[in-house]
Amino acid sequence: MNSFGRLFRVNVFGESHGASVGVNIDGIPAGIPLTQEDFLPDLERRKAGAKGTTPRKEEDLPFIKSGVFNDHTTGAPITILFENNNTRSTDYEKLREFPRPGHADFVATHKYGGFEDYRGGGHFSGRLTLNLVAAGVIAKKILGPGISVKATLKEVAGLPDAEQGLEAAIAAKDSVGGIVECVVEGLPIGLGEPFFDSVESTIAHAVFSIPAIKGIEFGAGFAAARMKGVEHNDAILDASGKTATNHAGGVVGGITNGNPLVFRVAVKPTSSTPKEQHTLNIKSGEVENFSVKGRHDLCIALRVPVVLEAVAAMALADFMLLEQRSNRVFKN
Amino acid sequence: MNSFGRLFRVNVFGESHGASVGVNIDGIPAGIPLTQEDFLPDLERRKAGAKGTTPRKEEDLPFIKSGVFNDHTTGAPITILFENNNTRSTDYEKLREFPRPGHADFVATHKYGGFEDYRGGGHFSGRLTLNLVAAGVIAKKILGPGISVKATLKEVAGLPDAEQGLEAAIAAKDSVGGIVECVVEGLPIGLGEPFFDSVESTIAHAVFSIPAIKGIEFGAGFAAARMKGVEHNDAILDASGKTATNHAGGVVGGITNGNPLVFRVAVKPTSSTPKEQHTLNIKSGEVENFSVKGRHDLCIALRVPVVLEAVAAMALADFMLLEQRSNRVFKN
Amino acid sequence: MNSFGRLFRVNVFGESHGASVGVNIDGIPAGIPLTQEDFLPDLERRKAGAKGTTPRKEEDLPFIKSGVFNDHTTGAPITILFENNNTRSTDYEKLREFPRPGHADFVATHKYGGFEDYRGGGHFSGRLTLNLVAAGVIAKKILGPGISVKATLKEVAGLPDAEQGLEAAIAAKDSVGGIVECVVEGLPIGLGEPFFDSVESTIAHAVFSIPAIKGIEFGAGFAAARMKGVEHNDAILDASGKTATNHAGGVVGGITNGNPLVFRVAVKPTSSTPKEQHTLNIKSGEVENFSVKGRHDLCIALRVPVVLEAVAAMALADFMLLEQRSNRVFKN
Amino acid sequence: MNSFGRLFRVNVFGESHGASVGVNIDGIPAGIPLTQEDFLPDLERRKAGAKGTTPRKEEDLPFIKSGVFNDHTTGAPITILFENNNTRSTDYEKLREFPRPGHADFVATHKYGGFEDYRGGGHFSGRLTLNLVAAGVIAKKILGPGISVKATLKEVAGLPDAEQGLEAAIAAKDSVGGIVECVVEGLPIGLGEPFFDSVESTIAHAVFSIPAIKGIEFGAGFAAARMKGVEHNDAILDASGKTATNHAGGVVGGITNGNPLVFRVAVKPTSSTPKEQHTLNIKSGEVENFSVKGRHDLCIALRVPVVLEAVAAMALADFMLLEQRSNRVFKN
């Protein structure tokens, strides 16, 4: 349940205010150069501190606990640990009477009988996306320099300029959502598996593990529903599979066709809005006014691009390993 | 790769013009009443013949080859076979020089070295959705009468009235797409698994196995990206988890919250449009005019609702079996 | 549960007296020559009719229902069906009062609440080993001509000469057991995966799916427990990994070392002995005399060699596909 | 590959002389009391120090890094880390020219291209059985107090008295093997899954992950191959499934029958014998004399019982969770 992938197998663990968060990855080929420093640029991109993100200073140092020797992967599972040092749990203890709207508080208590670590969202915390970013760094190495995975903010608060969208949120003193687009270039033709493990199925599976994502579309996506067939079909131009348009977003029949893989995701507004809300007080049984304490990102979408790249890279690295079995087509 | 699910495990097989298509399902509890007749209503809904679908008369009789005894499931795997009788392969042999735009022809040849069964899309054919519908019938039985899974056409060719949308397509002599919405009522709180197997991840995974789906959104979906936090958050009203609004679409933190599960999918226009297209002739190496022969659905979205229900039921039945372990919370 | 393998994925189904038994296999590379005739020699070896096996004439024709086109595998899942024609269920209906000792009758009723197909062992019947033999034929093709998998009877009824062992059983009018050894030559160095998917773990897993197997040992096996270290260790002789002795049976650290893979299994005497037994009558609640009706193999071990080869080939084919990924060691 | 189990899912990682060894376990029910102290008794049983085991003082403190809150499991994955402090890697660097007979050195270099962590066996080290013992402690809690898992030494160096066997080894200045038996009492009827996931298949799979195991047998095991049918069959005595004898070792048709589960394993002599050996020098290409430096267990079988209990408990806990789904037999 906390794992993803067939050959590049990612297991995440940890809680926001527990001892640590971390990730265990099996199936990594031996011989990939890897050091702690390799993780820092993408972890930095995810970090808090930008306008509209929380000023809480997180300790994000990734410690490699297994699977690396002489700065190269060994073929054994890699475990990366992020210790949690900067946590103030007392902030959270008193919040239990209000299961925060938009958060997992209510469902987690129901599912785990009250034994869940409820501090700061516990296992449901956005802090676990550290694990995804770390796994993504390794996945990108498997994809190699010929394949680029690049996600960008397309919209914040409905505005194409993220800066303006954020200003709108600050002015409204409310959280806002956004749209992030990911483009992968350089993929070979043939990734993806019928029937259930299409590229779309697998990418979507990975993407919806990121908190706050509520929709995904490939290529023309929802707009395709209003197009005509001749308009939507991408004419093939040559033997490399290059198409005149890319309404399919690089995937046909669930399999990459050699054109850029393109998808977009919808990110909901941060659940922890500074605005006062009206919701159930579990203890009193009454609907009451409630405010989230502490400082939170106004727009979680700002942190999504590097995480989106990471999960896309994870899914694609798994397909690459699967495809590189030398006998997709039998030779003996 | 051709399988889905952890405890309710579905394996599909078959080709459009091969001996058969079929589905093997493991993990079905013993004692569920099941006969051939139980499959017919949903298979009928999927069938060709309505306006805008192909008049090709398909033989859709499901033969139960294992796992049922005295009209009840036995606990052993069930295999259901649909024999292919009404196939005219010669129609397809000559088409190979044009890999059909929007279809898997080009990528399949690339991936399988030309050994793929290319007749009528082969293993990539929409005919394999028969298997999904059959699996869905059993999945719905596992969900039981208290849970309803209902999908409806919301839009055809951009028009809310499917009939009008279809008329538009016929008038334009081109294929069209559509939007289908699925609503599931009666689900318990607590289905879905962190971190990777959220309800959204699992439903999306299943849904993108249906040919022609290019996007999915839950609850407010893409519209959520333009909402403010206070506007989007669903206030909890009482201890049952009922919320004032349902922008989350019944899923918070990846887990069902007791409200209706709501999601929508975008269906692209049928790739086999009657309109002439401009695409690569593999033999000549030139871009040429090309027309799809035979009769095809003008709007594949018309057949999607029953298939969408089926895959949603499959995903949810798997969660139900997982949750019904008596010790999600330990008792000893 | 009814599936085995990671990349060469075998799903078995069927009941002894139901409509059919069969096997669905996913992950087979495209382009392997395959026809119905390819299955017949191994199916013939498994067949009833030899001295000491039941004279019941079984219909063992394998029908390929998917995944093969123009006499080659397509890369899509292959389903092979054996129809059950020669069954007389009435023989079994009245037996229900005596859960047959050594058979699954008692545990199956308990586990499946009486809904199991109890006729002739149902899903637990030895007839399902047809599926294994069929899967083994394909697995052997993946291994290729350079790898030979050969199982032989080493002992029947405690006698090294199978013929004499069988005569002893006939004379005693009781069923007998045996020992079967399997030797695989030509394997590359490096098959097998730490930590849990060692060659021994995976072969043993597959082997214990064969009914009547009660033990397995690799190389020196149980005798190793009485050897000294210097005596047991196999000295490496050259860079090819060839060892002076083969007490390890070709596996060190769970990984093939380039020497022949050798293992032996213990087969219990056929549970359906012609001798009268003393056991519980479920209806009366009394321990009573009981005799198995019908004709059964006196020594099931006679049929085991071809089945043992099949499951070994399945396990090894899976490892071969896993290993043939070009980047076990990373190159980019 | 480094994972085991379907619902109780164990992932091991680490190297003998790397930063740590550890285990990540998913699928643990919430609400199980668990503290560091709970692990100590079984870890103590595994520890070095007894006569015939190495005097190297290992740091075996298990640190719980996730999944426990307020001394109870939370339902989220548990990660347990053992830091490696007491390692002297320089002992091992110069050994590379002799791939140690009986060890994974040769195959690991071949498989991982020389990138493996070769110090002290690296990922293949017996130190990783710490992870199994830790997982076993949690598994035993899931089994509960009504089920006892107990393994004992039956034979060392061919002698039924372990003390005498060990004296023989010390006298001979060579390592020796042994036989360990495991008995599980209190299991319900019905654990185990046809076709491939029989109790024997699953236990054997787990057991062969323990280094040095070369054989396993259930109930009468290899002796069954020399028994007659009437002699071997266990007569059922009453409706609880109690049998007069237990030659089946508590498993029929791959499923527990309510009698004690009994199996025995063969443990080879420790590969690192103090005796001089004759084997290949990789650098010189010559067969030369070679001695393992350092102090090692003379009889690794002495440490096996607690590890054997652990893997048996892991396999059985997984079956228990699978069975406790309330609708093995359907109710709605």
Side-chain angles (χ1 to χ4, degrees):
Chain A
M1 287 86 99
N2 288 278
S3 61
F4 178 82
R6 291 172 58 93
L7 297 181
F8 180 80
R9 186 128 190 107
V10 177
N11 303 285
V12 300
F13 58 87
E15 290 81 23
S16 176
H17 289 60
S20 61
V21 302
V23 59
N24 165 263
I25 311 173
D26 201 359
I28 302 170
I32 304 178
L34 192 70
T35 66
Q36 194 187 50
E37 283 66 38
D38 291 329
F39 295 95
L40 302 185
D42 272 1
L43 289 171
E44 186 66 29
R45 289 172 63 201
R46 179 197 164 280
K47 215 169 199 169
K51 185 188 290 189
T53 64
T54 163
R56 174 180 137 181
K57 200 182 150 293
E58 292 174 330
E59 287 294 344
D60 293 353
L61 265 191
F63 292 99
I64 302 175
K65 305 300 287 185
S66 70
V68 173
F69 177 51
N70 289 340
D71 293 346
H72 286 77
T73 61
T74 63
I78 291 180
T79 301
I80 295 163
L81 209 67
F82 300 87
E83 301 282 354
N84 292 330
N85 302 313
N86 184 21
T87 57
R88 298 192 315 185
S89 299
T90 47
D91 291 7
Y92 292 92
E93 303 274 352
K94 44 189 149 175
L95 278 186
R96 290 211 86 195
E97 57 200 42
F98 285 99
R100 295 168 299 166
H103 282 283
D105 301 355
F106 178 81
V107 294
T109 296
H110 206 93
K111 187 176 183 83
Y112 298 110
F115 289 105
E116 76 280 3
D117 185 344
Y118 51 79
R119 298 168 298 170
H123 188 56
F124 291 86
S125 164
R127 183 156 170 79
L128 272 87
T129 58
L130 277 173
N131 299 331
L132 300 181
V133 173
V137 165
I138 300 174
K140 287 175 179 176
K141 290 206 169 205
I142 290 173
L143 294 180
I147 297 173
S148 78
V149 184
K150 191 92 202 89
T152 48
L153 265 173
K154 301 304 279 187
E155 204 182 292
V156 168
L159 301 171
D161 182 312
E163 188 76 15
Q164 290 185 2
L166 210 50
E167 297 293 352
I170 292 168
K173 289 185 179 143
D174 201 348
S175 60
V176 296
I179 305 278
V180 183
E181 181 176 85
C182 187
V183 178
V184 186
E185 300 196 76
L187 289 174
I189 304 174
L191 301 188
E193 297 292 324
F195 187 85
F196 288 107
D197 294 345
S198 70
V199 169
E200 293 106 324
S201 282
T202 308
I203 296 266
H205 191 137
V207 160
F208 280 115
S209 68
I210 307 173
I213 305 290
K214 297 303 283 183
I216 186 169
E217 58 179 6
F218 291 82
F222 276 86
R226 301 186 172 182
M227 293 165 82
K228 295 272 191 322
V230 151
E231 180 189 2
H232 181 269
N233 281 350
D234 300 313
I236 303 175
L237 297 181
D238 60 35
S240 77
K242 189 173 164 16
T243 52
T245 49
N246 190 14
H247 296 123
V251 195
V252 174
I255 294 177
T256 55
N257 68 2
N259 294 278
L261 172 66
V262 181
F263 62 93
R264 275 170 306 282
V265 302
V267 187
K268 71 174 184 179
T270 315
S271 297
S272 294
T273 167
K275 268 265 184 349
E276 194 176 63
Q277 305 180 61
H278 211 63
T279 194
L280 181 71
N281 180 327
I282 284 281
K283 284 200 182 140
S284 71
E286 302 291 319
V287 173
E288 301 178 2
N289 286 340
F290 156 83
S291 292
V292 177
K293 293 292 179 304
R295 303 197 60 171
H296 299 273
D297 289 9
L298 275 186
C299 179
I300 196 71
L302 299 180
R303 301 214 211 186
V304 165
V306 67
V307 184
L308 196 62
E309 288 178 14
V311 298
M314 281 165 47
L316 293 166
D318 196 49
F319 279 130
M320 286 292 279
L321 292 177
L322 203 56
E323 199 59 19
Q324 287 172 0
R325 292 181 284 142
S326 60
N327 59 353
R328 163 70 58 195
V329 181
F330 189 64
K331 295 179 200 69
N332 214 328
Chain B
M1 285 86 99
N2 288 278
S3 60
F4 177 83
R6 290 170 59 94
L7 297 181
F8 180 80
R9 187 130 190 104
V10 177
N11 303 285
V12 300
F13 59 88
E15 290 81 23
S16 176
H17 288 60
S20 62
V21 302
V23 59
N24 164 262
I25 312 172
D26 201 359
I28 302 170
I32 304 178
L34 192 69
T35 66
Q36 194 187 49
E37 283 66 38
D38 291 329
F39 295 95
L40 303 185
D42 272 2
L43 289 172
E44 186 66 30
R45 288 173 63 200
R46 179 197 164 281
K47 216 169 198 169
K51 186 189 286 188
T53 65
T54 162
R56 174 179 136 181
K57 199 181 150 296
E58 291 174 332
E59 286 294 343
D60 293 353
L61 265 190
F63 292 98
I64 302 176
K65 304 301 287 184
S66 70
V68 172
F69 177 50
N70 289 339
D71 293 345
H72 286 78
T73 61
T74 63
I78 291 181
T79 301
I80 295 164
L81 209 68
F82 299 87
E83 301 283 353
N84 293 330
N85 301 313
N86 185 20
T87 57
R88 297 191 317 184
S89 299
T90 46
D91 290 7
Y92 292 92
E93 304 273 350
K94 45 190 149 174
L95 278 186
R96 290 211 86 195
E97 58 200 43
F98 284 99
R100 295 168 299 164
H103 282 284
D105 301 355
F106 178 81
V107 294
T109 296
H110 206 94
K111 188 177 183 85
Y112 299 110
F115 289 104
E116 78 279 4
D117 184 344
Y118 51 77
R119 299 168 299 170
H123 188 56
F124 291 85
S125 163
R127 183 157 171 79
L128 273 87
T129 58
L130 276 173
N131 298 331
L132 301 180
V133 173
V137 165
I138 299 175
K140 287 174 179 176
K141 290 206 169 206
I142 290 174
L143 295 180
I147 297 174
S148 79
V149 184
K150 191 92 202 90
T152 48
L153 265 173
K154 301 304 280 186
E155 203 182 294
V156 168
L159 301 171
D161 182 313
E163 188 77 14
Q164 290 185 2
L166 209 52
E167 298 292 351
I170 292 168
K173 289 186 179 141
D174 201 348
S175 60
V176 294
I179 305 277
V180 182
E181 182 176 84
C182 187
V183 178
V184 187
E185 300 196 76
L187 290 174
I189 304 175
L191 300 187
E193 297 291 324
F195 188 83
F196 289 108
D197 294 346
S198 69
V199 168
E200 292 106 324
S201 282
T202 309
I203 296 265
H205 191 136
V207 159
F208 280 116
S209 68
I210 307 174
I213 305 290
K214 296 303 282 185
I216 187 169
E217 58 179 8
F218 291 82
F222 276 85
R226 300 186 173 182
M227 293 166 82
K228 296 270 191 322
V230 152
E231 179 189 2
H232 181 270
N233 280 353
D234 301 312
I236 303 175
L237 298 182
D238 61 34
S240 77
K242 190 171 161 22
T243 53
T245 49
N246 190 15
H247 296 123
V251 196
V252 174
I255 294 176
T256 54
N257 68 1
N259 294 279
L261 172 66
V262 181
F263 62 93
R264 275 170 305 285
V265 302
V267 187
K268 71 175 184 179
T270 315
S271 297
S272 294
T273 167
K275 268 264 183 351
E276 192 176 66
Q277 305 179 62
H278 211 65
T279 195
L280 181 72
N281 179 326
I282 284 280
K283 285 202 181 138
S284 72
E286 302 291 320
V287 173
E288 301 178 4
N289 287 340
F290 156 82
S291 293
V292 178
K293 292 292 180 303
R295 303 196 60 170
H296 299 273
D297 289 9
L298 274 187
C299 178
I300 197 71
L302 300 180
R303 301 215 210 187
V304 164
V306 67
V307 184
L308 196 63
E309 288 178 14
V311 298
M314 281 165 46
L316 293 166
D318 196 48
F319 279 131
M320 286 291 281
L321 292 177
L322 204 55
E323 198 59 21
Q324 288 173 357
R325 289 183 287 144
S326 58
N327 60 352
R328 162 71 58 196
V329 181
F330 189 64
K331 295 178 201 72
N332 213 326
Chain C
M1 287 84 97
N2 288 279
S3 61
F4 177 83
R6 290 171 58 95
L7 296 181
F8 181 79
R9 187 129 190 105
V10 177
N11 303 286
V12 300
F13 59 87
E15 289 82 23
S16 177
H17 288 60
S20 62
V21 302
V23 59
N24 164 262
I25 312 172
D26 201 359
I28 302 170
I32 303 177
L34 191 70
T35 66
Q36 194 186 49
E37 284 66 39
D38 292 328
F39 295 95
L40 303 184
D42 272 2
L43 290 171
E44 186 65 30
R45 289 171 64 200
R46 179 198 164 281
K47 215 171 200 167
K51 186 188 290 190
T53 63
T54 164
R56 174 180 137 182
K57 204 183 146 293
E58 292 173 330
E59 288 293 343
D60 293 353
L61 266 190
F63 292 99
I64 302 174
K65 304 301 286 184
S66 70
V68 173
F69 177 52
N70 288 339
D71 293 345
H72 285 76
T73 60
T74 61
I78 291 180
T79 300
I80 295 164
L81 209 68
F82 300 87
E83 301 282 353
N84 292 330
N85 302 312
N86 184 21
T87 57
R88 298 191 316 183
S89 299
T90 47
D91 290 6
Y92 292 91
E93 303 273 351
K94 45 189 147 175
L95 279 185
R96 290 212 86 196
E97 58 199 44
F98 285 99
R100 294 166 301 163
H103 282 284
D105 301 354
F106 178 81
V107 295
T109 296
H110 207 93
K111 188 176 182 86
Y112 299 109
F115 288 105
E116 76 278 5
D117 184 344
Y118 51 78
R119 299 167 300 168
H123 188 57
F124 292 85
S125 164
R127 184 158 170 77
L128 272 87
T129 58
L130 277 173
N131 299 332
L132 301 180
V133 173
V137 165
I138 300 174
K140 286 175 179 176
K141 291 206 168 205
I142 291 173
L143 295 180
I147 297 173
S148 78
V149 185
K150 190 92 203 91
T152 49
L153 264 174
K154 301 304 280 186
E155 206 183 291
V156 168
L159 300 171
D161 181 313
E163 188 77 15
Q164 288 186 3
L166 210 51
E167 297 293 351
I170 293 169
K173 288 184 179 141
D174 201 349
S175 61
V176 296
I179 304 278
V180 182
E181 182 176 87
C182 187
V183 178
V184 186
E185 301 197 75
L187 289 174
I189 304 174
L191 300 188
E193 297 292 324
F195 186 84
F196 288 108
D197 294 345
S198 71
V199 169
E200 294 107 324
S201 282
T202 308
I203 296 265
H205 191 136
V207 159
F208 280 116
S209 69
I210 307 173
I213 305 291
K214 296 304 282 186
I216 186 168
E217 58 179 9
F218 290 82
F222 276 85
R226 299 185 173 184
M227 293 166 81
K228 296 273 192 318
V230 151
E231 181 188 359
H232 181 270
N233 279 351
D234 301 312
I236 302 174
L237 298 181
D238 61 33
S240 79
K242 190 172 162 20
T243 53
T245 49
N246 190 14
H247 296 124
V251 196
V252 174
I255 294 177
T256 54
N257 68 2
N259 294 278
L261 171 67
V262 181
F263 63 93
R264 274 170 306 284
V265 303
V267 187
K268 71 174 184 180
T270 316
S271 297
S272 294
T273 168
K275 268 262 184 347
E276 193 177 65
Q277 306 179 60
H278 212 64
T279 196
L280 181 71
N281 180 325
I282 284 280
K283 284 202 182 139
S284 72
E286 301 293 319
V287 173
E288 301 177 4
N289 287 338
F290 156 82
S291 293
V292 177
K293 291 292 180 302
R295 304 197 60 171
H296 299 272
D297 289 9
L298 275 186
C299 179
I300 196 71
L302 299 180
R303 300 213 211 187
V304 164
V306 67
V307 184
L308 197 61
E309 288 177 13
V311 297
M314 279 164 47
L316 293 166
D318 197 47
F319 279 132
M320 287 292 280
L321 292 177
L322 205 53
E323 198 61 18
Q324 288 172 356
R325 290 182 285 146
S326 60
N327 58 352
R328 163 72 58 194
V329 181
F330 189 65
K331 294 176 201 72
N332 214 329
Chain D
M1 286 84 101
N2 288 278
S3 61
F4 178 82
R6 290 171 58 95
L7 296 181
F8 180 79
R9 186 131 190 105
V10 177
N11 303 287
V12 301
F13 59 87
E15 289 82 23
S16 177
H17 290 60
S20 62
V21 302
V23 58
N24 165 262
I25 311 172
D26 200 359
I28 302 170
I32 303 178
L34 191 71
T35 66
Q36 193 186 50
E37 284 66 36
D38 291 329
F39 295 95
L40 303 185
D42 272 2
L43 289 171
E44 186 65 30
R45 288 172 64 200
R46 180 198 163 280
K47 215 170 200 169
K51 185 188 290 187
T53 63
T54 164
R56 174 180 136 181
K57 203 181 148 297
E58 291 174 331
E59 288 294 345
D60 292 354
L61 266 190
F63 293 99
I64 302 175
K65 304 302 285 183
S66 69
V68 173
F69 177 52
N70 288 339
D71 293 344
H72 286 76
T73 60
T74 62
I78 291 181
T79 299
I80 295 163
L81 209 68
F82 299 88
E83 301 282 354
N84 292 330
N85 302 312
N86 184 22
T87 58
R88 299 191 315 183
S89 299
T90 47
D91 290 5
Y92 292 92
E93 302 273 351
K94 44 189 147 177
L95 278 185
R96 291 213 84 196
E97 57 199 45
F98 285 99
R100 295 166 300 165
H103 282 284
D105 301 356
F106 178 81
V107 295
T109 297
H110 207 93
K111 188 175 182 85
Y112 299 109
F115 289 104
E116 76 279 4
D117 184 343
Y118 51 78
R119 298 168 300 169
H123 187 57
F124 291 85
S125 164
R127 185 160 169 76
L128 273 87
T129 59
L130 277 173
N131 299 332
L132 301 181
V133 173
V137 166
I138 299 174
K140 286 174 179 177
K141 291 206 167 207
I142 290 173
L143 294 180
I147 297 173
S148 78
V149 184
K150 190 93 202 88
T152 49
L153 264 173
K154 301 304 280 185
E155 206 183 292
V156 168
L159 300 171
D161 182 312
E163 188 77 13
Q164 289 186 3
L166 210 50
E167 298 293 351
I170 292 168
K173 290 185 178 140
D174 201 349
S175 60
V176 295
I179 305 277
V180 182
E181 182 176 87
C182 187
V183 178
V184 186
E185 300 197 76
L187 289 174
I189 305 173
L191 300 187
E193 296 291 325
F195 188 84
F196 288 107
D197 294 346
S198 70
V199 169
E200 294 106 324
S201 282
T202 308
I203 296 266
H205 191 137
V207 160
F208 279 115
S209 68
I210 307 173
I213 305 290
K214 296 303 282 185
I216 186 169
E217 58 180 8
F218 290 82
F222 276 86
R226 299 184 175 185
M227 293 166 82
K228 295 274 191 318
V230 152
E231 182 188 359
H232 180 270
N233 279 352
D234 301 312
I236 301 174
L237 297 182
D238 60 33
S240 79
K242 190 172 162 17
T243 54
T245 50
N246 190 14
H247 296 124
V251 196
V252 174
I255 294 177
T256 55
N257 67 3
N259 294 278
L261 172 66
V262 181
F263 63 93
R264 275 170 305 284
V265 303
V267 186
K268 71 173 184 178
T270 316
S271 296
S272 294
T273 167
K275 268 264 185 345
E276 193 175 67
Q277 306 179 61
H278 211 65
T279 195
L280 182 72
N281 179 326
I282 284 280
K283 286 204 180 136
S284 73
E286 301 292 319
V287 173
E288 300 178 4
N289 287 340
F290 156 82
S291 292
V292 177
K293 292 292 182 299
R295 303 196 62 172
H296 298 273
D297 289 9
L298 275 186
C299 178
I300 194 71
L302 299 180
R303 300 215 209 187
V304 164
V306 66
V307 184
L308 197 61
E309 287 177 14
V311 297
M314 279 163 48
L316 293 166
D318 197 48
F319 279 132
M320 286 291 280
L321 292 177
L322 205 53
E323 198 61 18
Q324 287 172 358
R325 291 180 285 142
S326 60
N327 57 354
R328 163 70 60 194
V329 181
F330 189 65
K331 294 176 201 74
N332 215 327

